Amino acid sequence: MALLERWSSSALETLARAQDTAAQMFAPSVRLGVTGLSRSGKTVFITSLVHNLMAGNALPFFEPLAQKRILRTYLEPQPDDAVPRFDYEGNLAKLTAAEPEWPEGTRQISELRLTFEYAPGAMMRRALGATRLMHLDIVDYPGEWLLDLPLLDLTFEEWSRQSIAMAREPSREPAAKEWLAFLAETNARQKKNEQTAKQGAEIFTQYLRKCRDDALSFSSLTPGRFLMPGDLAGSPAFTFFPLEAPGGAAPPDNSLWAMMARRFNSYKRHVIQPFYRDHFARLDRQIVLADVLTVVNAGADAVADLERAMSDILGCFRHGQNPWHAMFSGRRIDRIVFAATKADHLHHTNHDRLEAILGLIAKKSIARANFTGAEVKAFALASVRATGEAEARQGNDRLPCIVGVPLKGERLGSRAFDGKEQLAIFPGDLPEDPALALSPEWLKMGHSAAHFVRFRPQRQRALGFGESPVLSHIRLDRALNFLIGDKLS
Ligand SMILES: Nc1nc2c(ncn2[C@@H]2O[C@H](COP(=O)(O)OP(=O)(O)O)[C@@H](O)[C@H]2O)c(=O)[nH]1
Ligand SMILES: [Mg+2]
């Protein structure tokens, strides 16, 4: 009897180990793309998401966790050896330090694998057995690179025509002045010349940079790598600019036009296509982050431009209609989130309103791109709260304020901050009707001071004695639930 018991327990162990290995082998992986323009909040988002998942708390709207079906969440080596690893530990250390700081900006693609051990929901349990594994591969990549994908469909001539027309739009013309002057002096038929190529690319890049600054906050800016080069900066594939098409016979091979067209094509072949094939085409789910408050603050032109960028982005996710999509057999993205980040710059009474505004911009973009094929949702969130809330009195009025410590060097009117002083600001109210918020009249008014102040991250508190601090967030769990909740059902 004893022998039998021993035998059977080791047999059971073997069996359990075999099941483990099988589960590991067949553990599905979900690739989640996290993108957005520089400073939109990707690094902070991923760090907070992973930290909150691993701590297993403070995510009440993430159903698998709320239902207590997640047994364990841990980091594992990522599947792609050639992609830098996302520096989760470094970023977390900064955010949870005694003197917390925002992590440094990244200018590259990176990846992180998070593995979930979970119990399937009641429906699936009978079919699948007790415990399951799922890998979540989070891919952080610059939104600037995403906005390049539509270029795959354009010839040099088409892209030039579009770019030059855009630079001449009244909202962009002031920023484009120098560039347009350079263009006026440049003839497509002139002999090719490396110095002209370099100088033109530089002036064109300066124009794109001006468009990106807070004051303008434009989103449609190509070529994206001119702003976010990754590791290819300075190569000839990056040294080109749009040109006015010469009429009449095709310009000769040694013309500036031919040189620029060749480089544009190299940029597509050596930069955009590999990104598409190696990264973009392998994603299952996507979240696009945008600093919507800054865009709204910059005014109607910036909002219109965000809408244009969002339709362009949606165009990239359309199945089967892009000729270049057929070149690679990709996975299909079936859920897309647009998220307005830094919602902690508003009082919580305004979070729904911010979400409604982004929802309306998304709706317009969907209509404009005639988009079908994936579910799209808009959320307003803060990955890491930098503010608290308070009420101020002004006469008989009670003003809902946010309270935080502006970063050293930030200014509000004539006041400069030292990074220590706490400030309560009434950030203003967004209109209840999102259509009103997007009306030119309202956007013209220039609403809130709070958005022009960046806050230091707060000192994060631990939930229990001796535990490590938890990053507090706003509505991160709701976005997460839509992005991956169903994959853990
Ligand atoms: N108040 C607040 N600021 C944020 C939040 N997330 C990001 N930020 C700010 O935005 C900056 C850029 O964020 P980061 O994640 O580095 O952007 P990335 O370039 O898209 O990776 C940070 O340094 C912060 O100043 C947030 O949840 N709340
Ligand atoms: Mg980053």
Side-chain angles (χ1 to χ4, degrees):
M1 191 64 191
L3 188 67
L4 187 62
E5 232 165 48
R6 211 173 318 137
W7 181 83
S8 60
S9 76
S10 73
L12 281 176
E13 234 168 65
T14 313
L15 191 66
R17 219 175 303 128
Q19 272 176 344
D20 254 18
T21 320
Q24 186 79 40
M25 250 163 70
F26 297 116
S29 71
V30 173
R31 286 180 85 84
L32 169 66
V34 178
T35 197
L37 295 180
S38 173
R39 317 296 299 157
S40 59
K42 302 177 289 294
T43 302
V44 177
F45 172 81
I46 296 171
T47 306
S48 180
L49 189 76
V50 170
H51 178 67
N52 276 293
L53 278 170
M54 294 217 293
N57 51 27
L59 299 168
F61 285 97
F62 182 48
E63 285 165 15
L65 196 65
Q67 293 163 358
K68 302 203 185 326
R69 293 191 293 100
I70 298 197
L71 312 175
R72 215 154 65 93
T73 312
Y74 48 91
L75 295 173
E76 279 200 307
Q78 68 197 45
D80 302 283
D81 290 339
V83 179
R85 182 178 178 280
F86 180 84
D87 182 19
Y88 169 70
E89 294 79 3
N91 298 331
L92 183 67
K94 285 226 157 99
L95 286 166
T96 52
E99 295 279 323
E101 277 174 51
W102 297 110
E104 257 142 58
T106 41
R107 334 205 90 229
Q108 258 293 359
I109 190 163
S110 66
E111 184 178 333
L112 190 70
R113 166 167 280 195
L114 192 64
T115 298
F116 294 91
E117 228 174 85
Y118 71 101
M123 292 275 281
M124 303 293 278
R125 198 167 301 149
R126 241 166 301 152
L128 297 176
T131 309
R132 309 287 300 162
L133 285 184
M134 187 189 90
H135 304 301
L136 181 67
D137 291 319
I138 303 173
V139 183
D140 171 1
Y141 68 92
E144 288 82 356
W145 299 6
L146 179 59
L147 286 165
D148 265 353
L149 291 181
L151 265 50
L152 287 173
D153 281 339
L154 302 178
T155 62
F156 175 62
E157 186 171 341
E158 288 165 336
W159 174 71
S160 289
R161 200 183 313 127
Q162 259 185 25
S163 303
I164 294 170
M166 235 194 263
R168 289 196 174 127
E169 283 172 16
S171 58
R172 291 195 180 211
E173 209 179 344
K177 223 176 192 148
E178 238 193 308
W179 152 246
L180 289 171
F182 174 86
L183 191 68
E185 285 167 11
T186 311
N187 184 339
R189 289 185 185 281
Q190 75 193 52
K191 202 159 163 257
K192 67 178 175 190
N193 175 312
E194 191 62 54
Q195 285 319 306
T196 313
K198 246 176 110 170
Q199 194 194 357
E202 254 159 44
I203 299 178
F204 188 66
T205 307
Q206 275 163 20
Y207 148 67
L208 293 177
R209 277 204 200 105
K210 279 187 208 153
C211 288
R212 184 183 61 179
D213 282 351
D214 274 2
L216 290 176
S217 284
F218 288 136
S219 315
S220 300
L221 308 161
T222 63
R225 300 269 178 150
F226 283 26
L227 295 172
M228 192 54 77
D231 51 6
L232 294 165
S235 58
F238 279 38
T239 316
F240 66 92
F241 51 84
L243 271 176
E244 210 117 36
D253 261 4
N254 67 352
S255 64
L256 188 64
W257 173 270
M259 180 193 201
M260 294 295 104
R262 261 195 309 275
R263 288 189 174 179
F264 177 76
N265 288 329
S266 297
Y267 182 79
K268 289 195 334 188
R269 192 163 47 248
H270 298 300
V271 177
I272 311 181
Q273 279 186 12
F275 165 68
Y276 181 82
R277 180 191 59 222
D278 300 341
H279 305 295
F280 184 76
R282 296 169 60 208
L283 299 174
D284 301 297
R285 301 272 160 104
Q286 177 68 56
I287 178 165
V288 182
L289 306 178
D291 190 343
V292 177
L293 281 173
T294 304
V295 171
V296 167
N297 264 303
D301 294 326
V303 171
D305 205 70
L306 176 64
E307 196 187 308
R308 168 157 65 190
M310 277 167 66
S311 341
D312 286 350
I313 289 172
L314 286 171
C316 307
F317 292 109
R318 203 183 289 136
H319 309 308
Q321 284 181 32
N322 296 316
W324 38 272
H325 214 117
M327 289 192 297
F328 315 101
S329 65
R331 302 197 193 187
R332 292 188 158 205
I333 291 190
D334 56 353
R335 290 192 181 184
I336 301 169
V337 165
F338 285 109
T341 51
K342 312 179 194 179
D344 57 327
H345 283 201
L346 291 174
H347 192 263
H348 73 266
T349 45
N350 274 269
H351 294 166
D352 280 338
R353 297 180 181 188
L354 178 62
E355 199 161 283
I357 291 170
L358 182 62
L360 184 58
I361 300 175
K363 203 168 140 192
K364 289 183 177 180
S365 311
I366 290 170
R368 179 186 173 140
N370 208 352
F371 180 76
T372 53
E375 256 183 287
V376 183
K377 273 200 181 181
F379 293 93
L381 57 85
S383 311
V384 173
R385 273 194 96 123
T387 66
E389 298 190 345
E391 213 168 55
R393 255 170 224 218
Q394 197 173 60
N396 284 332
D397 284 339
R398 285 156 178 266
L399 297 180
C401 290
I402 56 166
V403 183
V405 179
L407 283 170
K408 190 174 172 184
E410 288 290 294
R411 307 182 137 269
L412 196 64
S414 59
R415 219 162 136 192
F417 295 99
D418 58 3
K420 294 189 182 117
E421 192 183 356
Q422 206 178 47
L423 184 74
I425 303 177
F426 172 58
D429 281 322
L430 295 168
E432 203 170 334
D433 175 7
L436 176 62
L438 297 182
S439 69
E441 296 74 36
W442 193 82
L443 287 166
K444 214 166 46 205
M445 295 189 309
H447 316 279
S448 142
H451 314 151
F452 294 117
V453 183
R454 297 189 308 138
F455 295 97
R456 283 183 53 177
Q458 287 176 318
R459 193 156 170 179
Q460 305 290 327
R461 276 190 291 267
L463 294 181
F465 180 75
E467 289 180 18
S468 42
V470 165
L471 296 176
S472 61
H473 64 85
I474 298 170
R475 299 181 170 199
L476 195 62
D477 47 345
R478 298 192 316 136
L480 180 66
N481 195 54
F482 176 70
L483 279 172
I484 62 162
D486 63 316
K487 298 280 186 187
L488 294 163
S489 61

